[in-house]
Coordinates of all heavy atoms in Angstrom, one line a residue:
H21 N 6.9 -5.8 -7.2 CA 6.6 -5.3 -8.5 C 6.7 -3.7 -8.5 O 6.1 -3.1 -7.6 CB 5.1 -5.6 -8.9 CG 4.9 -7.0 -9.2 ND1 3.6 -7.6 -9.2 CD2 5.8 -8.0 -9.4 CE1 3.8 -8.9 -9.4 NE2 5.1 -9.2 -9.6
T22 N 7.4 -3.2 -9.4 CA 7.6 -1.7 -9.4 C 6.8 -1.1 -10.6 O 6.9 -1.6 -11.7 CB 9.1 -1.4 -9.6 OG1 9.9 -1.9 -8.5 CG2 9.3 0.1 -9.7
L23 N 5.9 -0.2 -10.3 CA 5.1 0.6 -11.3 C 5.5 2.0 -11.3 O 5.8 2.6 -10.3 CB 3.6 0.5 -10.9 CG 3.0 -0.9 -10.5 CD1 1.6 -0.7 -10.2 CD2 3.2 -1.8 -11.7
V24 N 5.7 2.5 -12.5 CA 6.0 4.0 -12.7 C 4.8 4.5 -13.4 O 4.7 4.2 -14.6 CB 7.3 4.2 -13.4 CG1 7.6 5.6 -13.6 CG2 8.5 3.4 -12.7
I25 N 4.1 5.4 -12.8 CA 2.9 6.0 -13.4 C 2.9 7.5 -13.2 O 2.9 8.0 -12.1 CB 1.6 5.4 -12.7 CG1 1.6 3.9 -12.8 CG2 0.4 6.0 -13.4 CD1 0.5 3.3 -12.0
D26 N 3.0 8.2 -14.4 CA 3.1 9.6 -14.4 C 4.2 10.2 -13.5 O 4.1 11.1 -12.8 CB 1.7 10.3 -14.0 CG 0.6 10.0 -14.9 OD1 0.9 9.8 -16.2 OD2 -0.5 9.8 -14.5
G27 N 5.4 9.5 -13.6 CA 6.5 9.9 -12.8 C 6.5 9.5 -11.3 O 7.5 9.6 -10.6
E28 N 5.4 8.9 -10.8 CA 5.3 8.3 -9.5 C 5.6 6.9 -9.5 O 5.1 6.1 -10.3 CB 3.9 8.6 -8.9 CG 3.7 8.2 -7.4 CD 4.3 9.1 -6.5 OE1 3.9 10.2 -6.4 OE2 5.2 8.7 -5.8
T29 N 6.5 6.5 -8.5 CA 6.9 5.1 -8.4 C 6.2 4.4 -7.3 O 6.1 4.9 -6.2 CB 8.4 5.0 -8.2 OG1 9.1 5.5 -9.3 CG2 8.9 3.5 -8.0
Y30 N 5.6 3.2 -7.5 CA 4.9 2.4 -6.6 C 5.6 1.1 -6.5 O 5.8 0.4 -7.5 CB 3.4 2.2 -6.9 CG 2.7 3.5 -7.1 CD1 2.6 4.1 -8.4 CD2 1.9 4.0 -6.1 CE1 1.8 5.3 -8.6 CE2 1.2 5.2 -6.3 CZ 1.1 5.8 -7.5 OH 0.4 6.9 -7.7
K31 N 6.1 0.7 -5.3 CA 6.7 -0.6 -5.1 C 5.7 -1.5 -4.3 O 5.4 -1.3 -3.1 CB 8.0 -0.4 -4.4 CG 9.0 0.3 -5.2 CD 10.4 0.3 -4.6 CE 11.4 1.0 -5.5 NZ 12.8 0.9 -5.0
L32 N 5.2 -2.5 -5.0 CA 4.2 -3.4 -4.4 C 4.8 -4.8 -4.1 O 5.7 -5.2 -4.9 CB 3.1 -3.5 -5.4 CG 2.4 -2.3 -5.8 CD1 1.3 -2.6 -6.9 CD2 1.8 -1.5 -4.7
R33 N 4.4 -5.3 -3.0 CA 4.9 -6.7 -2.6 C 3.8 -7.7 -2.5 O 3.9 -8.7 -3.0 CB 5.7 -6.5 -1.3 CG 7.0 -5.7 -1.5 CD 7.7 -5.3 -0.2 NE 6.9 -4.2 0.5 CZ 6.9 -2.9 0.2 NH1 7.7 -2.5 -0.7 NH2 6.2 -2.1 0.9
L34 N 2.8 -7.4 -1.7 CA 1.6 -8.2 -1.5 C 0.4 -7.7 -2.2 O -0.4 -8.5 -2.7 CB 1.2 -8.3 0.0 CG 2.1 -9.3 0.8 CD1 1.9 -9.1 2.3 CD2 1.8 -10.7 0.4
L35 N 0.3 -6.4 -2.4 CA -0.9 -5.8 -3.1 C -0.9 -6.1 -4.6 O 0.2 -6.0 -5.2 CB -1.0 -4.3 -2.8 CG -1.3 -3.9 -1.3 CD1 -1.2 -2.4 -1.2 CD2 -2.7 -4.4 -0.9
P36 N -1.9 -6.6 -5.2 CA -2.0 -6.7 -6.6 C -1.7 -5.4 -7.3 O -2.0 -4.3 -6.8 CB -3.4 -7.2 -6.9 CG -3.9 -7.8 -5.5 CD -3.2 -7.0 -4.5
S37 N -1.1 -5.5 -8.5 CA -0.7 -4.3 -9.2 C -1.9 -3.4 -9.7 O -1.7 -2.3 -9.9 CB 0.1 -4.7 -10.4 OG 1.3 -5.4 -10.1
G38 N -3.1 -4.0 -9.7 CA -4.3 -3.2 -10.1 C -4.8 -2.3 -9.1 O -5.6 -1.4 -9.3
I39 N -4.2 -2.3 -7.9 CA -4.6 -1.5 -6.8 C -4.4 -0.1 -7.0 O -5.2 0.8 -6.5 CB -3.9 -1.9 -5.5 CG1 -4.7 -1.3 -4.2 CG2 -2.5 -1.4 -5.4 CD1 -5.9 -2.0 -4.0
V40 N -3.5 0.4 -7.9 CA -3.2 1.8 -8.1 C -4.2 2.4 -9.1 O -4.2 3.6 -9.4 CB -1.8 2.0 -8.6 CG1 -0.8 1.6 -7.6 CG2 -1.5 1.3 -9.9
R41 N -5.1 1.5 -9.7 CA -6.2 2.1 -10.6 C -7.5 2.2 -9.9 O -7.8 1.4 -9.0 CB -6.3 1.1 -11.8 CG -5.2 1.2 -12.8 CD -5.7 0.4 -14.0 NE -4.7 0.4 -15.0 CZ -4.6 1.4 -16.0 NH1 -5.5 2.3 -16.0 NH2 -3.7 1.4 -17.0
K42 N -8.2 3.2 -10.2 CA -9.5 3.4 -9.7 C -10.5 2.5 -10.2 O -10.5 2.0 -11.3 CB -10.0 4.9 -9.9 CG -9.1 5.9 -9.2 CD -9.6 7.3 -9.5 CE -8.8 8.3 -8.8 NZ -9.3 9.7 -9.1
N43 N -11.5 2.2 -9.3 CA -12.7 1.3 -9.7 C -12.3 -0.1 -10.1 O -12.9 -0.7 -10.9 CB -13.5 2.0 -10.9 CG -13.9 3.4 -10.5 OD1 -14.4 3.7 -9.4 ND2 -13.8 4.4 -11.4
K44 N -11.3 -0.6 -9.5 CA -10.9 -2.0 -9.7 C -10.9 -2.8 -8.4 O -10.7 -2.2 -7.3 CB -9.5 -2.1 -10.3 CG -9.2 -1.3 -11.5 CD -10.0 -1.8 -12.7 CE -9.8 -0.9 -13.9 NZ -10.6 -1.3 -15.1
I45 N -11.2 -4.0 -8.5 CA -11.2 -4.9 -7.3 C -9.8 -5.7 -7.3 O -9.4 -6.3 -8.3 CB -12.3 -6.0 -7.3 CG1 -13.7 -5.3 -7.4 CG2 -12.2 -6.9 -6.1 CD1 -14.0 -4.5 -6.2
S46 N -9.1 -5.6 -6.2 CA -7.9 -6.3 -6.0 C -8.1 -7.4 -4.9 O -8.6 -7.1 -3.9 CB -6.7 -5.4 -5.6 OG -6.4 -4.5 -6.6
I47 N -7.5 -8.6 -5.3 CA -7.7 -9.8 -4.4 C -6.4 -10.4 -4.1 O -5.6 -10.6 -5.0 CB -8.7 -10.7 -5.0 CG1 -10.1 -10.2 -5.2 CG2 -8.8 -12.0 -4.3 CD1 -11.1 -11.1 -5.9
I48 N -6.2 -10.8 -2.8 CA -5.1 -11.6 -2.4 C -5.6 -13.0 -2.1 O -6.4 -13.2 -1.2 CB -4.4 -11.1 -1.2 CG1 -3.8 -9.6 -1.4 CG2 -3.2 -11.9 -0.7 CD1 -3.3 -8.8 -0.2
G49 N -5.3 -13.9 -3.0 CA -5.9 -15.3 -2.9 C -5.4 -16.2 -1.9 O -4.4 -15.9 -1.1
N50 N -6.0 -17.3 -1.7 CA -5.6 -18.3 -0.7 C -4.2 -18.9 -1.0 O -3.6 -19.5 0.0 CB -6.6 -19.5 -0.6 CG -6.8 -20.2 -2.0 OD1 -7.6 -19.7 -2.8 ND2 -6.1 -21.3 -2.2
G51 N -3.7 -18.9 -2.2 CA -2.4 -19.4 -2.5 C -1.2 -18.5 -2.1 O 0.0 -18.9 -2.1
V52 N -1.6 -17.3 -1.6 CA -0.5 -16.4 -1.2 C -0.3 -16.6 0.4 O -1.2 -16.8 1.1 CB -1.0 -14.8 -1.4 CG1 0.0 -13.9 -0.9 CG2 -1.3 -14.7 -2.9
V53 N 1.0 -16.5 0.8 CA 1.3 -16.5 2.2 C 1.5 -15.1 2.6 O 2.3 -14.3 2.0 CB 2.5 -17.4 2.5 CG1 2.2 -18.8 2.5 CG2 3.7 -17.1 1.6
V54 N 0.8 -14.6 3.7 CA 0.7 -13.3 4.0 C 1.3 -12.9 5.4 O 0.9 -13.5 6.4 CB -0.8 -12.9 4.0 CG1 -1.0 -11.4 4.4 CG2 -1.5 -13.1 2.7
D55 N 2.2 -12.1 5.4 CA 2.7 -11.4 6.6 C 1.8 -10.3 6.9 O 1.8 -9.3 6.2 CB 4.2 -10.9 6.3 CG 4.8 -10.3 7.6 OD1 4.1 -9.6 8.4 OD2 6.0 -10.5 7.9
P56 N 1.0 -10.4 8.0 CA 0.0 -9.4 8.3 C 0.6 -8.1 8.6 O 0.0 -7.0 8.2 CB -0.8 -10.0 9.5 CG 0.2 -11.0 10.1 CD 1.0 -11.5 9.0
W57 N 1.7 -8.0 9.2 CA 2.3 -6.7 9.5 C 2.9 -6.1 8.3 O 2.8 -4.8 8.1 CB 3.4 -6.9 10.6 CG 3.0 -7.5 11.9 CD1 2.4 -6.7 12.9 CD2 2.8 -8.8 12.3 NE1 2.0 -7.6 13.9 CE2 2.3 -8.9 13.5 CE3 3.3 -10.0 11.7 CZ2 2.0 -10.1 14.2 CZ3 3.0 -11.2 12.3 CH2 2.4 -11.2 13.6
A58 N 3.5 -6.9 7.4 CA 4.0 -6.3 6.1 C 2.8 -5.8 5.3 O 2.9 -4.8 4.6 CB 4.7 -7.4 5.4
L59 N 1.6 -6.6 5.3 CA 0.5 -6.1 4.5 C 0.0 -4.8 5.0 O -0.3 -3.9 4.2 CB -0.6 -7.2 4.6 CG -1.9 -6.9 3.9 CD1 -1.7 -6.6 2.4 CD2 -3.0 -8.0 4.1
V60 N -0.2 -4.7 6.3 CA -0.7 -3.4 6.9 C 0.2 -2.2 6.5 O -0.2 -1.1 6.2 CB -0.9 -3.5 8.4 CG1 -1.2 -2.2 9.0 CG2 -2.1 -4.5 8.7

């Protein structure tokens, strides 16, 4: 998912798109398959 916010581009793969907002909870659920190295 690509986000463009105030001219800054964020390319997200595992992280929920809400992570770039303050005061929000982002969750990666059990239905996601997670590459731990990619996540870190």
Side-chain angles (χ1 to χ4, degrees):
H21 293 162
T22 300
L23 310 179
V24 181
I25 303 170
D26 298 328
E28 183 75 66
T29 299
Y30 303 88
K31 293 189 176 184
L32 306 177
R33 294 167 288 278
L34 279 167
L35 293 171
S37 297
I39 197 70
V40 298
R41 285 191 178 271
K42 294 181 179 180
N43 304 316
K44 308 292 178 183
I45 302 295
S46 290
I47 294 176
I48 300 172
N50 57 276
V52 180
V53 285
V54 178
D55 182 320
W57 298 276
L59 176 59
V60 170

